[in-house]
Amino acid sequence: MKYHKSFYQIKSNEEIFSKIVKEKEHIGYYSLPFQETKEIKEFAKRVKQKHIVVVGIGGSSLGTFAIHHFLIDKENDKKLHFLESTDPIDLQRRIRKIDLKDALFIVISKSGTTIETISILKYLSSILVLDSSNTICITEEDSKLNSFAKSKEIKTFDIPKNVGGRFSVFSNVGLLPLAIMGLDIDKLLKGCQDIYNSFFEKEDYYSIIMEKARFIVENKNRFNINVIFSYSSLLDGFNKWYVQLWGESLGKININGTKQALTPVGLLGPVDQHSFLQLIMEGKRDKTVTFIKIEDFNDDLTIPNISLEGLEELDYLNNIKFKNLINKQADSTIQAVEDLKDIPYDVITIQSQDEYNIGKLMFTYELLTSIVGSFVQINTYDQPGVEAGKIILKKSLKKEK
Amino acid sequence: MKYHKSFYQIKSNEEIFSKIVKEKEHIGYYSLPFQETKEIKEFAKRVKQKHIVVVGIGGSSLGTFAIHHFLIDKENDKKLHFLESTDPIDLQRRIRKIDLKDALFIVISKSGTTIETISILKYLSSILVLDSSNTICITEEDSKLNSFAKSKEIKTFDIPKNVGGRFSVFSNVGLLPLAIMGLDIDKLLKGCQDIYNSFFEKEDYYSIIMEKARFIVENKNRFNINVIFSYSSLLDGFNKWYVQLWGESLGKININGTKQALTPVGLLGPVDQHSFLQLIMEGKRDKTVTFIKIEDFNDDLTIPNISLEGLEELDYLNNIKFKNLINKQADSTIQAVEDLKDIPYDVITIQSQDEYNIGKLMFTYELLTSIVGSFVQINTYDQPGVEAGKIILKKSLKKEK
């Protein structure tokens, strides 16, 4: 008797765990939490410029922006800028804010030939001299951008071949600009390490991540939209990073030829209570919702004990700290969702607004993405679907010449 | 013989059109394009302050932000700020950027008792004197915020009762701050008028909007996600406004007790080619995609004719204008989607970056939302689903006292 099948079943947690343990031997991001950061910190310390300009798009900027936006008030007095879009008006708006004479340009492209990044690099080269005094490149060691850097004696930092762009925030890609901005990158990595250890030693985060991934996968056809509802404006960048990580990693055709679709949506509370919440509450049950809260904002801004004529009915707001108000807004929304009984939700509470906690949160999401990808049997780390457009663009641009 | 039914069928275009024609007698936003703007313009002209601060959330700020962000380089030298979130760190970051002594506060709340807005108003009242010299209120004529304003002789502008918050951008809510920022609000309204006339006189936009709405509704169970992919960073605010308009208007239980779900997603090109595009291309076919392009950015920023050592293979980019590059990136992505043959997409090209065109675009989306709402037989203009959380919050805050 022989047996052959063309379908796949969802594997057991144990099988997935073994796959991930094997995978981490050749997928680079898993080991980033344990890297040596001395060279980065020493370089960062020597940076004299006031304006730090990340030239990079997608995975080369989203993670850095996420952490920067979360911790901006903990940074030194340097200004961090991002140049990424080819929108000419947006690009000029951004360049106008930079003191070009007092700027360090960090040109980031894994492949070294990203069209947006090189276009902007060319433009910058026409308005000022880019050399070893004001430019560094972060790229693969054998890329064309690396050759460019060498030709000008510009310092380069490596992106390991086996670290994908959207998983690169804890490589030089993110650590270097963040260290220059005065953030504690060791604490960031400590957050990652703790999640890593908890997961691989099968402690708390093993079951949290595994069960979450399994639920999402088992119910992916019913709940095809995965909402993150972050109750802090500081997590706006994190949401965008999540959308890339989730969408680009999991939007794939699997081993069985089936088009997967776990669609990420990022929301901010309380702002999106006045927008998307209605759709969650009364729309079709096609969404899972993950609420993210900051337990202690470490900020005591308080609604004053002031009664405004005509608005006395709102005096119950008096003396409430804003950090308690926003968390009560989160809790009330969570309770309202809970009361409906038919929306799958979970709540991630991070302790405080610091490097350690954002490291934990982001590394958790990287692991979760890998586990979900492993469950649905796709390649989590490539992005073949974006090649077609790139080829058409290149042809069209070359034809015009 | 008697006959009774509890289901509904999708109505004919003609029936929907008649419903909309009747609806515009009592739904206020339809007539906003034809309002008198003299009072607004005269008030705007007299504003001396340099910092203009919109205090408002959701429908009170999203539309204004959308137009402001689109046209920021066409504004005068005043600075427009938005205070909306109760996130204490975000709130303080924003307040630090305002010169409080040279600021006009525009407090906007339709109901007059929006918790976020009144909390911020109370806080502001504790750090400076708010009076007729530096504050105006935009609210319903009989609201508690209106009573507050009257008690301090603060000037008020009306939000008509029959204009919903998310449909209020072309009322005083949006027009007043935008006029103060030096934008031409008559041109904005001219854009709306042209769409209005084209639709109600059954010209081009009648069939464009009707056919689009009908396709979305007929296929809503298959394509439950409606993506807008805007090829300009300037449309970031528009995307967010669209998400509110679409999600909060259409996420409803319909006449038949069915939970509707047309989930809006806003993307920006080319940035999100490096993020969400993979999911569109290889993910499950559960999305419609609307590309938005700007035909002429009226900006000639050009990639210079520079060959960078090592990067010579990218010299085909030389001498290309950025505005042409971004539009070719859009066209290439559109072509790649077209080649797949199984993703429903459409392309909206707006002529240029100005008041007239953004007015057209936004009014088109307001009409589209109304028509879709009418097809699926819901109340497009309420938001009952967000009440539960508000009640829980109020109880919880009062209990703490």
Side-chain angles (χ1 to χ4, degrees):
Chain A
M1 190 163 125
K2 279 185 173 181
Y3 181 66
H4 170 75
K5 70 183 173 74
S6 78
F7 56 87
Y8 81 98
Q9 76 296 353
I10 297 179
K11 300 206 170 176
S12 72
N13 293 5
E14 207 38 66
E15 285 170 298
I16 295 298
F17 186 72
S18 310
K19 266 176 74 179
I20 295 292
V21 168
K22 260 181 233 151
E23 180 176 293
K24 76 186 170 81
E25 300 304 314
H26 64 273
I27 295 295
Y29 91 85
Y30 291 100
S31 53
L32 295 175
F34 303 97
Q35 74 195 275
E36 177 54 66
T37 58
K38 207 175 139 200
E39 192 195 344
I40 296 174
K41 286 181 290 188
E42 282 181 359
F43 181 86
K45 226 181 290 174
R46 291 196 309 272
V47 170
K48 293 278 173 285
Q49 289 93 337
K50 173 105 188 220
H51 292 257
I52 309 301
V53 186
V54 170
V55 184
I57 193 166
S60 300
S61 69
L62 282 164
T64 308
F65 179 78
I67 297 170
H68 156 71
H69 188 74
F70 188 65
L71 298 173
I72 192 167
D73 49 340
K74 305 200 182 300
E75 291 177 349
N76 54 32
D77 65 350
K78 295 183 193 291
K79 306 261 171 241
L80 188 57
H81 305 263
F82 293 87
L83 302 182
E84 51 177 0
S85 177
T86 49
D87 179 325
I89 296 171
D90 177 71
L91 185 59
Q92 292 190 81
R93 274 185 199 171
R94 288 169 184 261
I95 290 176
R96 270 196 297 273
K97 292 183 183 158
I98 304 167
D99 179 352
L100 295 171
K101 283 178 214 135
D102 191 15
L104 175 70
F105 295 88
I106 307 180
V107 184
I108 309 178
S109 166
K110 183 167 152 65
S111 71
T113 53
T114 310
I115 279 189
E116 294 87 348
T117 309
I118 304 303
S119 299
I120 296 170
L121 176 64
K122 279 176 181 267
Y123 176 67
L124 292 171
S125 301
S126 76
I127 56 173
L128 81 166
V129 177
L130 295 178
D131 60 23
S132 61
S133 72
N134 65 356
T135 308
I136 59 174
C137 293
I138 307 181
T139 183
E140 286 182 354
E141 59 185 355
D142 60 353
S143 81
K144 302 224 150 92
L145 180 60
N146 201 299
S147 310
F148 160 77
K150 277 189 189 134
S151 79
K152 300 209 165 234
E153 294 179 0
I154 286 172
K155 184 164 174 62
T156 61
F157 288 84
D158 188 39
I159 308 178
K161 286 232 179 262
N162 63 356
V163 173
R166 60 187 171 274
F167 286 87
S168 70
V169 56
F170 300 116
S171 74
N172 289 321
V173 170
L175 296 187
L176 197 76
L178 294 167
I180 295 172
M181 296 307 296
L183 296 176
D184 187 335
I185 59 173
D186 290 329
K187 280 198 189 150
L188 203 58
L189 295 185
K190 180 68 168 66
C192 302
Q193 287 163 19
D194 284 1
I195 295 295
Y196 178 101
N197 290 332
S198 176
F199 181 81
F200 284 107
E201 287 163 21
K202 291 197 175 180
E203 292 166 2
D204 289 2
Y205 279 88
Y206 171 77
S207 40
I208 289 174
I209 292 171
M210 220 54 157
E211 284 170 19
K212 177 164 181 161
R214 196 168 185 91
F215 178 85
I216 287 170
V217 172
E218 285 179 345
N219 296 281
K220 68 191 160 75
N221 292 317
R222 189 164 158 213
F223 302 110
N224 63 330
I225 300 169
N226 307 112
V227 175
I228 280 191
F229 208 147
S230 301
Y231 269 78
S232 166
S233 305
L234 312 178
L235 287 164
D236 191 22
F238 169 79
N239 284 1
K240 292 198 177 95
W241 172 84
Y242 156 71
V243 167
Q244 186 208 24
L245 181 70
W246 203 250
E248 202 170 41
S249 297
L250 303 177
K252 300 280 166 66
I253 300 169
N254 80 352
I255 192 175
N256 211 20
T258 308
K259 292 181 178 78
Q260 300 298 308
L262 290 163
T263 295
V265 168
L267 303 178
L268 291 179
V271 174
D272 285 319
Q273 290 184 188
H274 299 262
S275 166
F276 202 96
L277 179 60
Q278 166 67 34
L279 176 62
I280 293 176
M281 298 299 285
E282 299 206 328
K284 190 175 157 191
R285 300 313 187 223
D286 53 10
K287 296 172 185 72
T288 66
V289 186
T290 298
F291 293 95
I292 302 183
K293 288 172 58 183
I294 301 177
E295 187 164 315
D296 189 351
F297 278 83
N298 197 19
D299 180 299
D300 286 329
L301 192 75
T302 303
I303 301 170
N305 191 11
I306 288 179
S307 190
L308 299 174
E309 197 177 331
L311 288 163
E312 295 88 351
E313 75 164 49
L314 286 150
D315 283 353
Y316 65 86
L317 293 167
N318 293 4
N319 294 322
I320 292 174
K321 288 181 180 163
F322 276 97
K323 68 179 177 188
N324 295 339
L325 176 58
I326 191 169
N327 278 335
K328 276 185 186 292
Q329 291 184 292
D331 294 341
S332 306
T333 303
I334 293 165
Q335 186 60 50
V337 167
E338 160 70 29
D339 290 347
L340 293 171
K341 302 287 181 210
D342 59 358
I343 298 177
Y345 75 91
D346 54 358
V347 185
I348 298 173
T349 306
I350 62 177
Q351 238 70 51
S352 54
Q353 181 224 5
D354 56 28
E355 289 90 339
Y356 176 69
N357 278 285
I358 191 73
K360 268 180 126 168
L361 180 64
M362 291 173 83
F363 201 74
T364 301
Y365 262 88
E366 291 186 340
L367 279 180
L368 180 67
T369 305
S370 289
I371 311 290
V372 172
S374 194
F375 268 125
V376 295
Q377 306 200 38
I378 54 166
N379 181 344
T380 309
Y381 307 103
D382 64 357
Q383 51 283 330
V386 302
E387 290 308 313
K390 283 189 196 170
I391 293 167
I392 295 168
L393 176 65
K394 207 163 161 176
K395 261 192 203 158
S396 141
L397 290 171
K398 285 189 167 173
K399 211 173 104 187
E400 202 159 89
K401 294 279 134 174
Chain B
M1 191 164 130
K2 279 186 177 181
Y3 180 66
H4 170 76
K5 69 183 173 73
S6 78
F7 55 86
Y8 80 97
Q9 76 296 351
I10 297 179
K11 301 206 168 174
S12 71
N13 293 5
E14 206 40 63
E15 284 170 297
I16 295 298
F17 185 71
S18 309
K19 266 176 74 178
I20 295 292
V21 168
K22 262 181 232 149
E23 180 175 294
K24 78 185 168 80
E25 299 305 314
H26 63 275
I27 296 294
Y29 91 84
Y30 290 101
S31 52
L32 294 175
F34 302 97
Q35 74 195 276
E36 177 55 65
T37 58
K38 208 176 140 198
E39 191 195 346
I40 297 173
K41 286 181 290 189
E42 281 180 1
F43 181 87
K45 228 182 287 175
R46 291 195 309 270
V47 170
K48 293 277 175 284
Q49 288 95 338
K50 173 107 187 220
H51 292 256
I52 309 302
V53 186
V54 170
V55 184
I57 194 167
S60 300
S61 68
L62 282 164
T64 308
F65 179 77
I67 296 170
H68 156 71
H69 188 74
F70 187 66
L71 297 174
I72 193 168
D73 51 340
K74 304 200 182 303
E75 291 177 349
N76 55 32
D77 64 350
K78 296 182 192 292
K79 305 263 173 238
L80 188 59
H81 305 264
F82 293 86
L83 302 182
E84 52 176 0
S85 178
T86 49
D87 179 324
I89 297 172
D90 177 70
L91 185 58
Q92 293 191 80
R93 273 184 199 171
R94 288 168 185 262
I95 290 176
R96 270 196 295 275
K97 293 185 182 156
I98 303 168
D99 180 351
L100 295 171
K101 285 181 214 133
D102 191 15
L104 175 71
F105 295 89
I106 308 180
V107 184
I108 309 179
S109 166
K110 183 168 152 65
S111 71
T113 53
T114 309
I115 280 192
E116 294 86 349
T117 308
I118 303 303
S119 300
I120 297 170
L121 176 63
K122 279 175 181 269
Y123 176 67
L124 291 172
S125 301
S126 76
I127 56 172
L128 82 165
V129 177
L130 295 178
D131 60 22
S132 62
S133 73
N134 66 356
T135 307
I136 59 175
C137 293
I138 307 181
T139 184
E140 285 182 356
E141 58 186 355
D142 59 353
S143 80
K144 303 220 151 95
L145 180 60
N146 201 300
S147 309
F148 161 77
K150 276 189 190 134
S151 80
K152 301 210 164 233
E153 294 180 359
I154 285 172
K155 186 165 174 59
T156 61
F157 288 84
D158 187 41
I159 309 179
K161 287 236 179 255
N162 63 356
V163 174
R166 59 186 173 276
F167 285 88
S168 70
V169 56
F170 299 116
S171 74
N172 288 322
V173 170
L175 296 188
L176 198 75
L178 295 168
I180 295 172
M181 295 307 296
L183 295 176
D184 188 334
I185 58 174
D186 290 328
K187 279 197 188 150
L188 203 57
L189 295 185
K190 181 65 169 68
C192 302
Q193 286 163 19
D194 284 0
I195 295 295
Y196 179 101
N197 290 331
S198 175
F199 181 81
F200 285 107
E201 288 163 20
K202 293 199 175 178
E203 291 167 359
D204 288 1
Y205 280 87
Y206 171 78
S207 40
I208 288 174
I209 293 171
M210 220 55 159
E211 283 170 18
K212 177 163 182 162
R214 196 169 184 92
F215 179 86
I216 287 170
V217 172
E218 286 180 345
N219 296 280
K220 69 192 159 73
N221 292 318
R222 189 165 160 212
F223 302 110
N224 63 330
I225 301 169
N226 307 113
V227 175
I228 280 190
F229 208 146
S230 300
Y231 268 79
S232 165
S233 305
L234 312 177
L235 287 165
D236 192 21
F238 168 79
N239 284 2
K240 292 195 176 96
W241 172 85
Y242 156 72
V243 166
Q244 185 207 24
L245 182 71
W246 202 250
E248 203 170 40
S249 299
L250 303 177
K252 300 278 165 68
I253 300 170
N254 79 353
I255 192 174
N256 209 22
T258 308
K259 294 181 178 78
Q260 300 298 308
L262 291 163
T263 294
V265 168
L267 303 178
L268 290 179
V271 174
D272 285 319
Q273 291 186 186
H274 300 262
S275 167
F276 201 98
L277 179 61
Q278 166 67 34
L279 176 61
I280 293 175
M281 297 299 285
E282 298 205 330
K284 192 176 156 191
R285 298 314 186 222
D286 53 11
K287 296 171 185 74
T288 65
V289 185
T290 298
F291 293 96
I292 301 183
K293 289 172 57 183
I294 300 177
E295 187 163 313
D296 189 350
F297 278 81
N298 198 18
D299 179 300
D300 286 329
L301 192 75
T302 303
I303 302 170
N305 191 11
I306 288 177
S307 190
L308 300 173
E309 197 176 331
L311 289 163
E312 296 86 352
E313 75 165 49
L314 285 148
D315 283 352
Y316 64 86
L317 292 167
N318 293 4
N319 294 322
I320 292 173
K321 289 180 180 165
F322 276 97
K323 69 180 177 186
N324 295 337
L325 176 57
I326 192 170
N327 278 335
K328 275 185 187 293
Q329 290 183 293
D331 294 341
S332 305
T333 304
I334 293 164
Q335 185 61 50
V337 167
E338 160 70 29
D339 289 348
L340 294 171
K341 301 287 180 210
D342 59 359
I343 298 176
Y345 76 90
D346 54 357
V347 184
I348 298 174
T349 306
I350 62 177
Q351 238 71 52
S352 54
Q353 181 225 5
D354 56 28
E355 289 90 338
Y356 176 70
N357 277 285
I358 191 73
K360 269 180 125 167
L361 179 64
M362 291 173 83
F363 201 74
T364 300
Y365 262 87
E366 291 187 339
L367 280 181
L368 180 68
T369 304
S370 290
I371 310 290
V372 171
S374 193
F375 267 124
V376 295
Q377 307 200 36
I378 55 168
N379 182 342
T380 309
Y381 307 103
D382 64 358
Q383 52 281 332
V386 303
E387 290 308 314
K390 282 188 195 171
I391 293 166
I392 296 168
L393 176 65
K394 208 164 161 177
K395 264 193 202 155
S396 142
L397 289 172
K398 286 187 167 175
K399 211 173 103 186
E400 202 159 89
K401 292 281 134 172

